Amino acid sequence: NLTNYDKRWYKISPDDPWLYKSRAVNTFILEGKTDNARQIINEASKWIPDHDYYKYPIMWFDEYEQKYDKVLQYIQNSKDTIVYSQDRIITKSGTLSRIYWLMDKKDQSKKEAQKALEQLHAIPDLEGDPRYHAYIGRIYAILGNSEKAVREAKMAKELYPNTKDAYASYDFDIQSAKVYAILGKHKIALDIIERLLIGPSTSKWWTIKYSPTLNKIFKENSRFNRII
């Protein structure tokens, strides 16, 4: 159902693809499946053919439903660029590494992770950027280097504590939880997740519940399911 705000916005700007992207994502979050969410995007795409705008929720839906071949095809056809998001610095090789890891293709995952590591190390002046340490921590975790992965995850949080930004800092806690989960340190990962969802934080339950990485590891975990 649309809120009054949504209804007003549809009247003001009915050709804004953000409305349909947002509606599709919220539908997926509330229903826990993608059928209706995909239908919203399919219908919107017929008269607002902004496919680049819709690609991110579609990729999320495909990852969640383990349609990895589709995700790989999109990534492999995309430009080899570096994206600076709120809580990480993303490279094409790093994304490929994560997808191969989800597919249990460990050799390919580690090969791409090593490429991402070399690419990130070549970028100057990133040592003070918590996004760099958060992302590189995940890469080290995929490579199986527990010591460096944990060190980088902690460094990201030290550089961006809650006292610096009470809104965005919790994103680095989620990244830390993923690092510990990949390394098999499940209790630590779940302790972080539980603290974020039960205590005061800006973490959103759906970013954890529908995380492909956390779902792969904890989907059958009773504590994880109880927390979320």
Side-chain angles (χ1 to χ4, degrees):
N1 294 331
L2 297 178
T3 65
N4 290 332
Y5 172 83
D6 290 329
K7 291 176 182 177
R8 289 195 299 271
W9 194 249
Y10 273 105
K11 290 180 180 179
I12 294 170
S13 184
D15 59 348
D16 185 347
W18 177 87
L19 290 169
Y20 305 95
K21 170 191 172 182
S22 177
R23 187 179 175 191
V25 168
N26 289 336
T27 297
F28 166 57
I29 289 170
L30 293 173
E31 296 182 352
K33 52 186 179 180
T34 70
D35 296 6
N36 291 329
R38 290 180 188 274
Q39 185 63 29
I40 292 168
I41 290 177
N42 289 341
E43 291 299 319
S45 297
K46 293 176 182 178
W47 57 289
I48 311 175
D50 193 344
H51 299 294
D52 282 344
Y53 201 89
Y54 301 131
K55 66 188 177 185
Y56 295 110
I58 291 173
M59 279 186 63
W60 186 23
F61 301 160
D62 286 340
E63 275 193 53
Y64 182 73
E65 294 184 330
Q66 300 180 17
K67 297 177 180 179
Y68 299 130
D69 288 340
K70 290 184 178 181
V71 179
L72 282 176
Q73 184 178 15
Y74 165 73
I75 298 170
Q76 289 165 345
N77 291 336
S78 65
K79 294 180 180 179
D80 192 3
T81 57
I82 298 174
V83 178
Y84 293 78
S85 70
Q86 180 170 285
D87 62 344
R88 70 200 104 165
I89 299 173
I90 305 169
T91 68
K92 181 176 180 178
S93 292
T95 303
L96 285 170
S97 173
R98 181 173 59 82
I99 300 302
Y100 284 130
W101 177 84
L102 290 169
M103 298 172 72
D104 291 321
K105 295 186 177 182
K106 295 182 179 180
D107 289 342
Q108 288 169 283
S109 177
K110 289 184 176 182
K111 180 180 178 181
E112 294 295 338
Q114 189 61 46
K115 287 168 61 176
L117 191 64
E118 293 169 1
Q119 188 177 15
L120 287 168
H121 280 162
I123 302 174
D125 303 323
L126 287 181
E127 283 299 321
D129 193 324
R131 298 172 299 175
Y132 165 77
H133 294 283
Y135 196 60
I136 214 168
R138 175 93 71 93
I139 292 171
Y140 276 128
I142 288 175
L143 289 170
N145 192 325
S146 179
E147 182 179 349
K148 288 186 177 180
V150 171
R151 182 191 67 198
E152 296 297 333
K154 289 181 177 179
M155 179 63 72
K157 190 63 181 178
E158 288 174 8
L159 289 169
Y160 215 83
N162 299 346
T163 53
K164 183 173 184 177
D165 186 338
Y167 181 81
S169 63
Y170 291 104
D171 290 337
F172 296 106
D173 287 306
I174 294 176
Q175 294 302 320
S176 293
K178 291 177 181 178
V179 165
Y180 284 114
I182 292 170
L183 292 172
K185 300 177 184 293
H186 294 171
K187 184 182 183 304
I188 299 176
L190 290 171
D191 285 346
I192 294 172
I193 292 169
E194 185 166 25
R195 173 170 52 81
L196 291 173
L197 293 185
I198 293 178
S201 83
T202 57
S203 300
K204 303 172 181 65
W205 63 267
W206 61 84
T207 62
I208 294 173
K209 180 175 182 177
Y210 298 123
S211 161
T213 298
L214 296 176
N215 249 271
K216 177 179 176 62
I217 298 169
F218 295 126
K219 188 174 184 178
E220 304 301 327
N221 184 287
S222 59
R223 183 183 175 193
F224 178 76
N225 288 310
R226 174 178 57 79
I227 293 170
I228 60 174

